[in-house]
Amino acid sequence: MAGEAEMRTKAPSGGLAPWLPALLAVIVGIGFARFAYTPLLPLLVERGWVSAAEGAFAGAANLAGYLVGALAAQALAGRPERGAILNASLVLAIVSLGACAAPLGATWLSGFRFLAGVAGGLIMVLGPSAILARTPPEAKSRVSGYVFAGVGIGVMLSGALLPALATLGLVTTWLALAAMALVLTAIAWRRWPEGAGAAAAGEMPKRAPLAIALLVLAYASDGAGFVPHTLFLSDFVARGLGRGEAAGGLAWTAFGIGAVVGAPLCGLVASRIGAGPALVGALFLKAAAVALPLVSTSAVALGASAILVGALTPGMVALAAALTATLASGPAQARLFGTMTIAFAVAQAAGAYALSALFAASGSHLPLFATGAAVLAAGGLAAVGAVRMVGRG
């Protein structure tokens, strides 16, 4: 049996770890194509490529694309050509990053930010599951932690490198991002497992339908509630507080440090107290972390806020997946988590557009943090209700 389990995790990785292609894909599709925009936003505004409002709406376009990509991934999950679909998504991310190097206005930027989001949604849904489907049950949590650490690695790289690259010009910065994505894509290209673990269809769990609805609502609240940090944090520090581009990049690096360690830490907590209570605690803690800039804008407070929200960004994914596994199994679990992912993407895109409009109307970042914290706290209350109905998890 051990030999069979080992064969299931084996991929044409040329001696490298079988989870490596998913890790690299997450770095490209989420770390670069999604999150690298955050530290670049203040530079795009200051150098006249877009206005502050146009830059915010271009960021929201990326999240709308993520929703489209997640919906497309649900339809494509059963296709045997999943490896080819993932490679095509990586190419789309590279092209989108390279196209953003052309200073052709807000419409051009928004269009390619949208396409980058489509690539990210496809990769986030299909990439990790392609590897986890071939992973033995006892190794799934560990491998999932490795894969979702790619979010934080991408964030850290973008936060640390992009402000320095920006001294050479925004064109060079975007092209450097595309080049790094190309290198990682070349490594992952032939290393997806055969068939890539096509997902089966299944029915949603029938018991406790209200609990399921509350759980989906709680996860959706996370999609909207963390938008102030993932879209506006660097701009808040750099321009809102007047501390400059380097300080904005440093705040984003702190977010990335948290994101690297968040998924494994959340998994450890869930294994000790249960996935349900861990999800509730994470939502309330994240609400407090998002609200922290309202209380203090000291370097320590902003750093703590960035690290905590960063840790709980991939951490919430791990906790939600773990909790769904206690409510359903096999195809039903996959369908439930897929529904939650789409709800998350809808809330994320809607929240991004709503907060962009709020920022355009108010000219201040502080109402964004207040709104995000309130949404997360409401999600925590929904999670309390769900957990009470279904047990500790």
Side-chain angles (χ1 to χ4, degrees):
M1 293 294 292
E4 292 176 8
E6 185 177 350
M7 287 179 66
R8 277 190 287 142
T9 60
K10 194 161 181 150
S13 56
L16 300 175
W19 43 262
L20 182 67
L23 169 66
L24 298 179
V26 169
I27 293 174
V28 171
I30 306 299
F32 289 171
R34 162 70 175 95
F35 285 126
Y37 184 75
T38 300
L40 288 178
L41 176 56
L43 303 177
L44 291 166
V45 174
E46 288 179 2
R47 300 185 188 185
W49 283 39
V50 290
S51 69
E54 288 170 340
F57 279 109
N62 181 261
L63 302 186
Y66 182 86
L67 169 59
V68 172
L71 288 168
Q74 288 288 94
L76 295 170
R79 301 291 303 175
E81 311 90 351
R82 191 185 295 189
I85 294 168
L86 284 161
N87 285 338
S89 301
L90 288 165
V91 170
L92 180 60
I94 295 166
V95 170
S96 301
L97 291 169
C100 288
L104 297 178
T107 301
W108 175 273
L109 181 66
S110 293
F112 281 101
R113 293 305 299 151
F114 176 85
L115 292 176
V118 173
L122 286 164
I123 288 167
M124 192 64 161
V125 174
L126 297 180
S129 63
I131 301 302
L132 292 174
R134 303 298 184 89
T135 301
E138 66 275 9
K140 285 184 185 290
S141 296
R142 174 170 52 84
V143 170
S144 180
Y146 294 154
V147 169
F148 288 112
V151 176
I153 293 170
V155 170
M156 267 205 312
L157 286 173
S158 62
L161 297 178
L162 295 188
L165 282 171
T167 62
L168 303 175
L170 283 171
V171 172
T172 300
T173 303
W174 282 113
L175 292 177
L177 265 175
M180 288 189 287
L182 177 61
V183 170
L184 297 183
T185 297
I187 297 172
W189 191 264
R190 294 180 178 273
R191 293 189 167 87
W192 297 106
E194 291 293 327
E203 293 299 321
M204 291 277 284
K206 300 296 184 191
R207 71 184 185 93
L210 178 58
I212 299 301
L214 288 172
L215 180 60
V216 172
L217 179 63
Y219 195 56
S221 78
D222 185 52
F226 83 151
V227 168
H229 274 59
T230 58
L231 195 55
F232 295 100
L233 178 63
S234 288
D235 192 53
F236 173 60
V237 174
R239 293 193 315 113
L241 298 178
R243 296 180 185 174
E245 300 162 4
L250 186 60
W252 193 239
T253 301
F255 182 98
I257 292 171
V260 170
V261 302
L265 285 178
C266 285
L268 178 62
V269 171
S271 69
R272 306 221 172 182
I273 69 172
L279 183 72
V280 170
L283 281 165
F284 283 120
L285 179 60
K286 199 168 186 178
V290 170
L292 194 52
L294 302 172
V295 179
S296 172
T297 57
S298 69
V300 172
L302 291 175
S305 176
I307 289 172
L308 284 171
V309 176
L312 292 170
T313 294
M316 287 295 298
V317 181
L319 292 174
L323 184 54
T324 60
T326 70
L327 303 177
S329 60
Q333 188 271 340
R335 181 161 179 166
L336 174 57
F337 189 64
T339 299
M340 291 172 62
T341 299
I342 291 170
F344 179 98
V346 169
Q348 182 179 233
Y353 279 108
L355 291 177
S356 295
L358 177 60
F359 178 66
S362 68
S364 171
H365 295 86
L366 295 182
L368 313 181
F369 295 113
T371 302
V375 170
L376 283 163
L381 293 175
V384 169
V387 170
R388 285 181 175 176
M389 290 179 191
V390 301
R392 289 177 59 85

